[in-house]
Amino acid sequence: MRMDFNYRKQQHHLFLLLFILVSLIQTSCKQKPEDQKKIRFGPVIGIHYTEVRRRLNTGRSFDNHGYEVSPTWKMFFLPKDSAGVFSPDSNRFLTFPVTIDHDSLFNVANTWLKAKIITKDSLVFQVLAVEGKMVRFARSTVYMTFYADDYIKTLKTSLVDMQKTDHADTLFVQKMAAQANKYPDSLFAARVPVVLQSRSPFVKVEKEKVIASRENRFDTSESYLDPVYDITIHHAYQDFGYSFTVLVDTNGQMHFRESLVYIFPEFKESTIRVIKGIIDGYLKVYIAAKPGNTLGITHNSLISLYVAGRKK
């Protein structure tokens, strides 16, 4: 009889635990995803904010390839889920819809962000790397900090000083520049790209411009990460056209790296020989190259050239 009573008591406890577990699961299932910490910008509507700092999760402004995250945004939220974002290209605020998702995620100006802090004085957003419908948090390494314009006026430091890179960035760039100069294959993009200047009226040099737009999310970093130059040589020995990359060293000398178009194996050796001849016979003679630098530190950097020769 004693054993039977204990058995029933154990069964009763198991039943209670099972009942509680099922209840918790049902409650969780009934909770809609959009009810889980869905953000609202109502309290900060109409407040103008300026981005004062943008950093990687390392705390630096530069990554290992030379890409710099810099504060450029100005924005304010409007009623009915929309926002004004300043466009440097058109020199005015453009209105974008604000799509609010669950867990503090939202989209504005074709950019997915996660709100970390929302107050009348400041905003902190994490820039999200989104592929399809998946958020790649491991690659979402950029953080934006905004201050309200009225709050900035109360600070003793200036906006320009707040937006500057810091001493840690300088030390990092010095290290990466030294590595790029020592090992040619260890490239680091120059934040201030190479400057090519023609020495001859018969040679025209033009750097391709990257315009900030909605399509590139107002990010013009390609202008220094992959600087492209169009070169036209008049009165050349014959008509030709080649596209290739060159390494510009700290002395402004150009060194052939590779063709930007596929070369069939049987023509590879002769084609590269011709390209090197164009570099030595035309580019080094008629073009002055000022090496690129980052934070004033000169270092080797890679550029792309589209060179066309015109006989007449």
Side-chain angles (χ1 to χ4, degrees):
M1 181 67 70
R2 181 72 178 174
M3 290 179 61
D4 184 57
F5 174 77
N6 288 337
Y7 175 76
R8 289 180 181 180
K9 189 175 180 180
Q10 291 174 357
Q11 290 293 97
H12 179 68
H13 286 166
L14 287 172
F15 175 77
L16 284 176
L17 288 172
L18 182 61
F19 176 77
I20 292 171
L21 180 61
V22 171
S23 299
L24 288 172
I25 292 173
Q26 289 177 340
T27 302
S28 176
C29 291
K30 288 179 181 178
Q31 187 178 11
K32 296 180 180 179
E34 57 267 25
D35 294 332
Q36 300 175 9
K37 202 179 177 182
K38 193 169 183 178
I39 55 172
R40 291 289 182 266
F41 295 105
V44 297
I45 283 178
I47 300 176
H48 281 246
Y49 294 90
T50 298
E51 190 181 4
V52 297
R53 184 169 57 255
R54 192 180 299 192
R55 291 288 187 271
L56 298 165
N57 59 355
T58 58
R60 297 190 302 261
S61 301
F62 295 89
D63 69 7
N64 292 340
H65 303 290
Y67 173 65
E68 181 187 12
V69 291
S70 54
T72 57
W73 278 36
K74 297 179 181 179
M75 68 182 304
F76 62 94
F77 290 95
L78 294 162
K80 298 182 180 180
D81 292 337
S82 60
V85 179
F86 186 75
S87 167
D89 183 36
S90 56
N91 197 34
R92 64 188 178 91
F93 282 91
L94 304 179
T95 301
F96 294 89
V98 177
T99 304
I100 299 176
D101 209 318
H102 67 286
D103 194 25
S104 303
L105 309 185
F106 68 101
N107 183 287
V108 63
N110 299 323
T111 304
W112 278 103
L113 303 166
K114 178 178 175 65
K116 310 293 285 186
I117 296 174
I118 301 176
T119 71
K120 292 183 178 180
D121 288 337
S122 65
L123 307 171
V124 176
F125 299 148
Q126 179 183 8
V127 183
L128 302 178
V130 178
E131 295 178 2
K133 295 183 178 181
M134 295 291 295
V135 178
R136 305 297 183 186
F137 281 102
R139 293 173 51 201
S140 303
T141 59
V142 179
Y143 293 83
M144 310 166 71
T145 300
F146 295 80
Y147 285 167
D149 290 354
D150 289 339
Y151 176 64
I152 292 173
K153 293 174 184 177
T154 68
L155 301 176
K156 294 181 179 180
T157 183
S158 68
L159 175 63
V160 173
D161 286 337
M162 285 188 287
Q163 292 179 328
K164 284 181 179 177
T165 55
D166 55 25
H167 184 60
D169 287 322
T170 301
L171 293 177
F172 177 73
V173 170
Q174 287 175 340
K175 172 187 172 185
M176 299 306 293
Q179 186 171 304
N181 293 339
K182 186 175 181 180
Y183 305 104
D185 290 334
S186 178
L187 295 173
F188 189 69
R191 186 61 181 84
V192 179
V194 170
V195 175
L196 299 182
Q197 188 172 8
S198 173
R199 294 186 176 122
S200 168
F202 301 116
V203 177
K204 182 181 178 182
V205 180
E206 201 168 20
K207 185 179 184 298
E208 293 187 4
K209 295 181 180 179
V210 179
I211 305 299
S213 65
R214 296 190 185 200
E215 287 69 30
N216 59 23
R217 301 175 184 175
F218 306 103
D219 180 5
T220 60
S221 58
E222 281 301 308
S223 64
Y224 67 87
L225 288 175
D226 182 21
V228 178
Y229 305 78
D230 296 314
I231 299 174
T232 304
I233 302 169
H234 297 280
H235 300 292
Y237 70 97
Q238 66 177 41
D239 290 342
F240 59 79
Y242 295 96
S243 55
F244 50 91
T245 60
V246 295
L247 178 74
V248 180
D249 65 24
T250 55
N251 296 315
Q253 293 298 309
M254 301 183 202
H255 307 273
F256 172 78
R257 287 300 296 269
E258 62 180 356
S259 172
L260 289 171
V261 297
Y262 177 76
I263 305 174
F264 287 100
E266 58 268 32
F267 303 115
K268 191 169 185 177
E269 185 178 344
S270 59
T271 301
I272 291 177
R273 186 165 57 248
V274 170
I275 292 174
K276 287 183 176 180
I278 292 171
I279 293 173
D280 293 334
Y282 287 108
L283 304 190
K284 289 184 178 181
V285 175
Y286 298 113
I287 295 176
K290 181 180 178 182
N293 74 83
T294 303
L295 301 183
I297 303 167
T298 303
H299 57 87
N300 293 348
S301 61
L302 196 69
I303 63 174
S304 297
L305 302 181
Y306 289 82
V307 183
R310 299 289 179 261
K311 188 173 182 180
K312 293 183 180 179

